[in-house]
Amino acid sequence: MPHLLITGANRGIGLEHVRVLLGRGWAVTACCRDPEGASELKALDPGDGRLRIKAYDAADAGAAAELAKEVREPIDILFANAGTMGPGDEGFGKTDAAGMAEAFAINTIAPLKLAEAFSDQVARSQMKVIALQSSRMGSIRDNTSGGYYGYRASKAGLNAVGKSLANDLKARGIIVMILHPGWVKTRMGGQGGLMTVHECVEGQLDLIARANPAMSGRFFHVSGEDLPW
Ligand SMILES: NC(=O)c1ccc[n+]([C@@H]2O[C@H](COP(=O)([O-])OP(=O)(O)OC[C@H]3O[C@@H](n4cnc5c(N)ncnc54)[C@H](OP(=O)(O)O)[C@@H]3O)[C@@H](O)[C@H]2O)c1
């Protein structure tokens, strides 16, 4: 049975990945900050042991290594999805250093620590995919409107992490996909988003199903189009 491990699984895009893959018969390790309060996630439990919910705070650099002591099975898709806007659109002249550092911890460093902690489990799986939930807002070429210093820089940093991971893990057959989910209606994306979480997740899973070594270390829109760094 294929196995997904995903962070930020209690709401938004992460929750929908859990729902869809449980529906397809996968085993899912769903990681979130507050398992007690994750009512929508717990409501998905099919009751046959395929859903495991684990506590994970991306702001804690040691959290992934602790989790990896408990989750030893092969992982087909390791999905670093949890993310934060950080200080939001703090604007030039009002940047928030502590908020930016927190955005880096969650958006940039945590996915790297997750990959380090779980690379053996990924390498032992059939699909061998590490998916990084990035954002087009991390594209330097695509930035025509400025602002969002913490979010943009932390996602650009994540893209750099993804490229190094693709190089470092190539020999073990691991495919690292750097993904922009589209503009999605979630708490982060707002109701003005252009896609539902379901449309986003179907698109991301179609893209991941096509994973091959030539796709590793590339930055993809959910449509499958390559995005500029
Ligand atoms: N929606 C969009 O249009 C869009 C566009 C581009 C990229 N993205 C990316 O997509 C990913 C998912 O976002 P979303 O749209 O689904 O937004 P969302 O509904 O706001 O979900 C964000 C998720 O990240 C989790 N998270 C935040 N900080 C965390 C931490 N310290 N430790 C563990 N989990 C943490 C949240 O958990 P809590 O409930 O505990 O806060 C929540 O599960 C993010 O990486 C985001 O940057 C979204």
Side-chain angles (χ1 to χ4, degrees):
M1 185 189 310
H3 178 201
L4 165 77
L5 185 149
I6 188 163
T7 64
N10 58 306
R11 60 184 164 97
I13 298 168
L15 178 68
E16 187 64 9
H17 272 288
V18 176
R19 197 183 69 74
V20 169
L21 287 182
L22 282 176
R24 295 185 191 177
W26 283 49
V28 176
T29 303
C31 307
C32 59
R33 275 197 277 205
D34 176 20
E36 276 293 298
S39 51
E40 287 182 88
L41 179 58
K42 288 193 283 196
L44 299 180
D45 194 341
D48 57 7
R50 284 186 295 122
L51 174 63
R52 271 188 308 191
I53 302 177
K54 294 283 183 186
Y56 168 83
D57 184 347
D60 172 359
E66 281 305 308
L67 194 59
K69 291 178 188 163
E70 297 171 35
V71 181
R72 306 301 309 160
E73 303 86 348
I75 297 171
D76 291 84
I77 304 176
L78 177 72
F79 212 135
N81 167 74
T84 178
M85 285 299 288
D89 189 12
E90 64 274 42
F92 179 74
K94 290 179 289 192
T95 52
D96 166 0
M100 285 184 73
E102 188 187 39
F104 266 89
I106 295 168
N107 293 348
T108 315
I109 299 169
L112 171 60
K113 300 311 284 182
L114 205 67
E116 286 182 328
F118 286 103
S119 63
D120 288 346
Q121 289 87 325
V122 175
R124 285 191 277 113
S125 75
Q126 288 287 316
M127 290 177 68
K128 301 183 179 39
V129 171
I130 296 178
L132 305 177
Q133 198 73 283
S134 183
S135 170
R136 191 171 199 160
M137 287 181 73
S139 167
I140 293 169
R141 168 123 56 99
D142 202 54
N143 182 357
T144 54
S145 54
Y148 292 94
Y149 289 89
Y151 188 66
R152 288 189 190 281
S154 64
K155 291 292 191 180
L158 174 61
N159 292 353
V161 161
K163 189 73 187 181
S164 276
L165 287 174
N167 288 323
D168 289 343
L169 301 177
K170 185 177 177 183
R172 294 162 72 192
I174 295 175
I175 298 164
V176 181
M177 303 180 76
I178 305 164
L179 304 175
H180 168 62
W183 184 13
V184 187
K185 292 181 206 285
T186 61
R187 200 179 300 175
M188 185 186 291
Q191 282 315 299
L194 301 176
M195 305 176 82
T196 64
V197 284
H198 189 68
E199 289 164 340
C200 164
V201 165
E202 289 285 350
Q204 291 205 307
L205 291 175
D206 281 355
L207 190 56
I208 292 171
R210 301 201 296 275
N212 65 67
M215 292 169 86
S216 194
R218 282 162 56 188
F219 183 22
F220 290 105
H221 190 280
V222 66
S223 64
E225 166 201 356
D226 277 283
L227 288 169
W229 301 115

